[in-house]
Amino acid sequence: MSYQEFYDNLSPYGQWINDPQYGYVWIPNVNDDFRPYFTEGHWVMTEYGNTWVSYYPWGWACFHYGRWIYNDYYGWIWIPGYEWAPGWVAWRWGGGLCGWAPLYPGIIWVGVGYTCPEDWWVFLHPQYLYRPRYHNIWRNDYMDGPLHTQKLLQKTNFVTNTYENNNTKYYSGPNAA
């Protein structure tokens, strides 16, 4: 996998810019309500743990290689990376809820203390985690409802499950059971 391959395959779906902190990054052509690991996709349990399945034609790259970061001017931008993972997210569990949020660039393992903006987190009741269209449930129960992300973060703890294959450790999230 090379950056040139990312550049060639992703260019029709967005624009590349040179970011002063991360170098060349990619900005997808998406609606303003786009969120990585939420919009146009869903989780499935695979041999690697919880794996993001994207409906975007560019999802094979941006949800399994590299990381996402939010930029106040551009919105969500993708920072390319060479290492594959089933999904570069932090997971939380507890109080009858399951949650996830994109990992910052450079973060590989989250045991405790990972801090990102609260609006990066998505929380669901576990029975909805593997449903292809959980977005309406999330919007109705959590986005406009009485539960706020800060309270949900207090009710949950980090999930530290990993899967290891060929000396590579993946942050696999909660077990399917």
Side-chain angles (χ1 to χ4, degrees):
M1 187 67 55
S2 70
Y3 278 11
Q4 187 65 46
E5 189 173 344
F6 290 136
Y7 183 85
D8 292 344
N9 286 290
L10 300 181
S11 289
Y13 305 106
Q15 66 176 334
W16 290 90
I17 63 167
N18 192 359
D19 180 82
Q21 183 174 0
Y22 298 109
Y24 281 98
V25 299
W26 183 73
I27 304 164
N29 293 332
V30 291
N31 294 332
D32 290 340
D33 64 349
F34 170 79
R35 293 175 63 161
Y37 303 103
F38 176 77
T39 311
E40 295 298 320
H42 68 280
W43 293 103
V44 297
M45 181 54 74
T46 69
E47 63 184 288
Y48 303 106
N50 291 287
T51 302
W52 184 254
V53 175
S54 174
Y55 308 147
Y56 292 112
W58 43 265
W60 63 271
C62 300
F63 297 108
H64 301 290
Y65 297 92
R67 307 296 177 89
W68 289 94
I69 190 98
Y70 190 81
N71 176 287
D72 288 334
Y73 182 77
Y74 292 108
W76 287 100
I77 59 176
W78 178 70
I79 297 99
Y82 288 116
E83 188 175 355
W84 183 91
W88 291 104
V89 299
W91 289 95
R92 295 183 71 93
W93 182 272
L97 297 167
C98 175
W100 66 92
L103 288 174
Y104 278 113
I107 302 289
I108 294 175
W109 170 249
V110 177
V112 294
Y114 176 68
T115 304
C116 67
E118 289 180 3
D119 63 352
W120 287 22
W121 287 96
V122 174
F123 286 95
L124 290 172
H125 292 288
Q127 67 265 30
Y128 301 118
L129 181 62
Y130 301 117
R131 290 195 181 176
R133 300 283 179 205
Y134 58 80
H135 307 92
N136 290 335
I137 296 162
W138 178 80
R139 282 189 177 95
N140 292 338
D141 289 353
Y142 303 107
M143 188 172 158
D144 297 321
L147 298 175
H148 298 287
T149 304
Q150 188 173 44
K151 290 179 185 176
L152 301 178
L153 287 167
Q154 292 171 356
K155 291 175 67 170
T156 59
N157 297 304
F158 284 104
V159 177
T160 57
N161 298 336
T162 59
Y163 170 82
E164 192 164 341
N165 184 24
N166 294 330
N167 295 325
T168 301
K169 189 180 284 191
Y170 303 113
Y171 191 53
S172 60
N175 296 322

